[in-house]
Amino acid sequence: MISVLNTIDTGHEDMIHDAELDYYGLRLATCSSDNSVKIYDIKSGTQTLAADLKGHFGPVWQIAWAHPKYGNLLASCSYDRKVIIWKESGEWTKLYEYTGHESSVNSVAWAPAEYGLILACCSSDGSISIITYNQDGGNWDVKKIPGAHAIGVNSISWCPAISADLNLDPLSNKEAPKRIVSGGCDNLIKIWREQGDQWVEENRLEMHMDWVRDVAWAPSLGLQHSMIASCSQDKRVVIWTSDDNVSWTPTILNTFDDVVWSVSWSLTGNILAVSGGDNKVSLWRENADGQWLCISEVAKGLGQTPSEERSTL
């Protein structure tokens, strides 16, 4: 069962679009249509506003924490066409601002830490940007995939460094290619592979009949194959599996009653969380027969814990 551990009053003045826990689960970042990003310390079930970051001039769609080996870094993207990387050095300040897109930036995702400090972002202008921190020069290098999806790109996700074709150790296989998956307004899912100094389209996955709203590449801890989850305005969630990251097999997880906005994997990659226009969050797990079963569901406003229980969390 899904149970509510804690409820946080963010103080946002408009709709919240994303909420992300940091690597240690001690901080929560949120972003909103009120143009702000907020960071809370949530140790021991309490909440303390640590930062209220102002820098965007439009709704902020998504946020992403970098791996702590690179310090306390948070990326945010907005309708204002900007990506901002924030850094905590005593106080939170703007480390870098990327303005290379011509329309709303809809998604940001940090690469696996093994690859270095690399951020991918995608936009309604149809392009994807890969932003890499150059440690020697102290600057950020940008590579762009123009025309990645017709009309626009809604979501992006990285292939894990330890993956189906990497012999379990990315550090011993320097030639192992980096990959990202993207979902777009052309109803397509595309897989991109780094080749030399550019990114090339390796695969396009066709199954959805409306805009693809989210894609998520599963962590590969203990898994013998790669998995990607995708969701769409066609109300379906599809699980794509591959043994070599080249040939992919789709399985429809479920057809829901409304648009599906978001899919997110557990850290072990065996449970998928799904949320959509029906205001429900459901958890799904694959059984021994390869069928995906709903193991828990919570509707909006339900699942509140009694006050005496909440005080002990």
Side-chain angles (χ1 to χ4, degrees):
M1 281 294 296
I2 299 176
S3 58
V4 177
L5 293 179
N6 199 5
T7 301
I8 294 173
D9 180 6
T10 64
H12 280 297
E13 298 172 1
D14 208 330
M15 183 181 294
I16 297 170
H17 296 291
D18 196 17
E20 298 285 340
L21 289 169
D22 72 355
Y23 183 83
Y24 299 110
L26 298 176
R27 286 178 168 178
L28 176 74
T30 59
C31 61
S32 165
S33 279
D34 66 8
N35 304 357
S36 74
V37 174
K38 297 192 179 191
I39 299 171
Y40 299 85
D41 289 321
I42 56 169
K43 299 172 188 173
S44 307
T46 62
Q47 64 178 74
T48 306
L49 180 64
D52 187 356
L53 306 178
K54 309 281 190 183
H56 287 292
F57 297 95
V60 187
W61 302 128
Q62 198 172 48
I63 43 186
W65 292 95
H67 191 281
K69 72 184 286 185
Y70 299 110
N72 292 326
L73 297 177
L74 183 72
S76 59
C77 63
S78 168
Y79 181 78
D80 66 5
R81 303 178 288 186
K82 292 194 298 187
V83 172
I84 298 177
I85 298 174
W86 309 87
K87 180 179 176 67
E88 184 188 35
S89 304
E91 292 188 355
W92 284 91
T93 56
K94 193 184 299 183
L95 175 67
Y96 175 72
E97 183 173 294
Y98 175 60
T99 56
H101 284 291
E102 299 172 2
S103 190
S104 172
V105 183
N106 300 320
S107 183
V108 283
W110 291 100
E114 294 90 337
Y115 294 147
L117 192 57
I118 307 174
L119 183 72
C121 56
C122 62
S123 168
S124 294
D125 65 12
S127 66
I128 296 169
S129 295
I130 312 293
I131 307 167
T132 304
Y133 181 67
N134 182 346
Q135 204 157 10
D136 296 333
N139 60 327
W140 297 82
D141 298 325
V142 179
K143 292 177 185 173
K144 209 162 188 183
I145 307 172
H149 290 267
I151 313 175
V153 195
N154 296 319
S155 180
I156 198 160
S157 180
W158 287 85
C159 172
I162 301 172
S163 191
D165 62 346
L166 298 194
N167 299 321
L168 299 181
D169 187 1
L171 301 181
S172 67
N173 189 352
K174 298 295 185 184
E175 302 306 311
K178 301 181 184 75
R179 288 183 172 91
I180 54 177
V181 60
S182 60
C185 301
D186 52 7
N187 308 351
L188 294 175
I189 296 155
K190 294 186 179 183
I191 295 173
W192 307 86
R193 176 171 47 85
E194 187 181 40
Q195 187 172 293
D197 62 349
Q198 60 182 350
W199 287 79
V200 297
E201 181 183 325
E202 182 178 55
N203 230 316
R204 59 173 62 194
L205 309 180
E206 300 184 50
M207 186 80 168
H208 288 293
M209 298 178 290
D210 206 334
W211 287 16
V212 178
R213 278 297 177 179
D214 200 11
V215 288
W217 207 308
S220 58
L221 299 177
L223 296 181
Q224 298 302 310
H225 54 259
S226 291
M227 285 196 301
I228 295 171
S230 62
C231 66
S232 166
Q233 289 183 207
D234 66 9
K235 306 179 184 179
R236 296 190 298 176
V237 171
V238 177
I239 307 294
W240 306 83
T241 57
S242 174
D243 294 326
D244 55 8
N245 283 343
V246 176
S247 177
W248 294 87
T249 303
T251 301
I252 297 175
L253 176 137
N254 191 44
T255 301
F256 292 83
D257 295 330
D258 209 330
V259 174
V260 188
W261 297 113
S262 178
V263 284
S264 178
W265 291 100
S266 64
L267 290 176
T268 50
N270 64 335
I271 296 175
L272 183 71
V274 178
S275 62
D278 58 4
N279 284 329
K280 293 178 181 177
V281 176
S282 55
L283 300 184
W284 298 77
R285 178 188 280 146
E286 187 180 19
N287 68 11
D289 298 324
Q291 294 176 309
W292 287 86
L293 304 176
C294 181
I295 59 173
S296 196
E297 185 179 90
V298 63
K300 180 183 178 183
L302 300 179
Q304 298 295 324
T305 53
S307 56
E308 64 271 16
E309 287 183 33
R310 196 177 305 131
S311 64
T312 65
L313 297 174

